[in-house]
Amino acid sequence: MSVKTKILLVYTGGTIGMVKDYNSGALKAFNFNNLMNSIPELKQLDCSVDSVSFKEPIDSSNMNLAHWVSIATIIEENYDAFDGFVVLHGSDTMSYSASALSYMLENLNKPVILTGSQLPIGDLRTDAKENLITSIQIAALRQNNKAVIQEVCLYFEYKLYRGNRTTKINAEHFEAFASLNYPELAESGVHLKINKEYLRKTKSKKQLKVHKQLNDDVVILKLFPGLNKNVLESVLNIPNLKALVLETYGAGNAPTDKWFLKGIKEAIKNGLYIVNVTQCSGGSVLLGQYETSEELESLQIINGKDITTEAAVTKLMYLLGIGVSPKLFKTLFETPIRGEMQ
Ligand code: ASP
């Protein structure tokens, strides 16, 4: 008798498991058991599905570091007993969580697939069923007795993405996510098409190592014409601040005003890590391409290349958490560790 592939569903909350409060009209989280009852199709799958739920499911706008540790711990404690994991999560902060988990789960060689939906599972036109069922099918894919997917992914509206390459781009469309700097890992149509050449291949036989120390002394500052000295100084002087993601223009460009460059220069000199990330949804920082980024390069700003803001801010939390030394910090940040940048 063949042994069935075992998938663990981890329900954290989000629209996928929400119901309408008919008095107020607002969506609120409901009991996970209802979700299982709402999809009898789950019983038809050729794998066994167990589930575990957050005691109090959350709207993902309430996601935080402690919740990431909870998800990672559930995966760690069930790692040997299951072949793959599907994490049900609100779409609002799903790209942040997928990025954080990708760093936290070192040596991952099983699939961890985050999914959710734009419409609640009970809604007539829901996108939840397809997202959930296909995520489970993808998590259960095996070849030569090994998982086909061995990384943290995000599945939404017929597409599987590398999780730390995604961004939520639409609050209404079913196609809510994009991965503009990395191709889709799989597409679901009549057939499930896996783009094998883009998958992360884990050669190492090392044990899963779960990193639970994350540091939240970080901030994101998006440049805009009119950003004034007061604002910059207030941000740079946040007590205890360790790292800043600077969302610059285009290919990594920023104003050349003396006060601006002086502020950045002094902050870096005083030990603040500043990462240059483009505020464009796609493309890469190319330091030195324009005069407006030359100076930043000479100040030893960290080059975020084509990383997303979500993957950058969580990478900072992770690198600060594991205690990377100041000497190595820039080099390590600029090196891809989970396929999050070129
Ligand atoms: N506000 C919801 C959440 O992120 C939206 C969703 O589930 O897609 O939890």
Side-chain angles (χ1 to χ4, degrees):
M1 201 184 83
S2 69
V3 184
K4 272 194 171 180
T5 308
K6 294 178 78 183
I7 303 300
L8 184 65
L9 266 186
V10 183
Y11 180 57
T12 68
T15 300
I16 193 161
M18 284 186 176
V19 275
K20 212 173 216 150
D21 179 330
Y22 285 101
N23 292 324
S24 68
L27 287 173
K28 56 173 198 195
F30 78 177
N31 188 314
F32 181 65
N33 296 329
N34 294 351
L35 183 69
M36 295 300 278
N37 293 337
S38 309
I39 318 180
E41 292 93 329
L42 285 178
K43 292 173 196 128
Q44 289 179 37
L45 287 168
D46 192 25
C47 54
S48 73
V49 182
D50 283 8
S51 62
V52 47
S53 168
F54 270 17
K55 268 202 195 80
E56 284 176 25
I58 57 163
D59 183 297
S60 79
S61 302
N62 286 319
M63 190 48 70
N64 59 31
L65 277 62
H67 293 313
W68 288 338
V69 171
S70 302
I71 302 171
T73 306
I74 292 173
I75 293 171
E76 180 180 36
E77 287 171 352
N78 293 282
Y79 197 67
D80 294 334
F82 288 88
D83 301 298
F85 302 85
V86 173
V87 180
L88 302 180
H89 191 294
S91 60
D92 288 348
T93 60
M94 199 187 290
S95 294
Y96 290 91
S97 297
S99 301
L101 288 168
S102 76
Y103 304 125
M104 294 168 83
L105 303 172
E106 192 178 346
N107 304 325
L108 184 71
N109 62 11
K110 294 185 178 183
V112 173
I113 301 187
L114 278 78
T115 194
S117 65
Q118 293 281 53
L119 285 176
I121 196 89
D123 197 288
L124 205 54
R125 295 173 46 251
T126 189
D127 52 332
K129 287 192 184 181
E130 200 285 321
N131 286 347
L132 175 59
I133 291 170
T134 309
S135 293
I136 296 174
Q137 282 188 322
I138 292 175
L141 288 176
R142 295 185 71 77
Q143 200 174 32
N144 303 329
N145 215 19
K146 273 197 211 133
V148 172
I149 309 290
Q150 309 194 347
E151 57 185 300
V152 179
C153 298
L154 187 154
Y155 182 81
F156 226 86
E157 191 60 5
Y158 303 108
K159 289 186 180 136
L160 181 77
Y161 309 98
R162 173 164 299 157
N164 57 27
R165 290 295 198 146
T166 61
T167 307
K168 184 169 180 183
I169 50 147
N170 202 298
E172 306 178 8
H173 292 173
F174 285 146
E175 188 155 352
F177 289 89
S179 165
L180 288 162
N181 287 337
Y182 199 76
E184 286 125 37
L185 304 182
E187 208 171 332
S188 161
V190 172
H191 303 288
L192 246 187
K193 186 174 171 287
I194 310 287
N195 299 323
K196 287 213 167 118
E197 65 276 33
Y198 301 125
L199 301 179
R200 247 176 101 68
K201 289 164 198 81
T202 322
K203 276 183 231 93
S204 99
K205 292 227 162 54
K206 287 188 194 147
Q207 285 269 324
L208 175 77
K209 188 166 175 195
V210 183
H211 298 275
K212 298 182 188 173
Q213 299 292 336
L214 299 171
N215 187 318
D216 62 0
D217 290 319
V218 298
V219 70
I220 299 169
L221 176 64
K222 180 174 183 156
L223 292 184
F224 58 93
L227 174 88
N228 69 32
K229 199 170 169 214
N230 259 339
V231 173
L232 181 74
E233 278 179 3
S234 320
V235 173
L236 294 175
N237 289 311
I238 293 172
N240 255 336
L241 188 69
K242 306 272 185 318
L244 176 151
V245 175
L246 187 65
E247 277 201 1
T248 56
Y249 305 124
N253 307 315
T256 48
D257 295 303
K258 283 220 164 59
W259 60 265
F260 178 84
L261 291 170
K262 189 164 166 263
I264 298 286
K265 184 177 177 177
E266 271 166 22
I268 294 178
K269 218 175 79 208
N270 293 333
L272 186 71
Y273 300 119
I274 304 186
V275 183
N276 187 344
V277 166
T278 174
Q279 54 185 251
C280 296
S281 336
S284 179
V285 164
L286 273 174
L287 288 176
Q289 191 189 21
Y290 290 90
E291 201 184 17
T292 42
S293 70
E294 251 183 338
E295 188 89 11
L296 292 178
E297 188 177 25
S298 71
L299 299 180
Q300 288 292 300
I301 197 162
I302 298 172
N303 187 347
K305 301 180 201 172
D306 64 346
I307 200 169
T308 61
T309 296
E310 293 88 332
V313 75
T314 49
K315 189 170 183 178
L316 287 173
M317 291 175 176
Y318 165 72
L319 293 179
L320 290 167
I322 59 171
V324 172
S325 75
K327 260 190 167 174
L328 289 177
F329 202 94
K330 178 170 155 44
T331 313
L332 250 182
F333 193 98
E334 292 175 350
T335 309
I337 52 174
R338 307 281 191 267
E340 74 284 5
M341 68 201 300
Q342 67 196 7

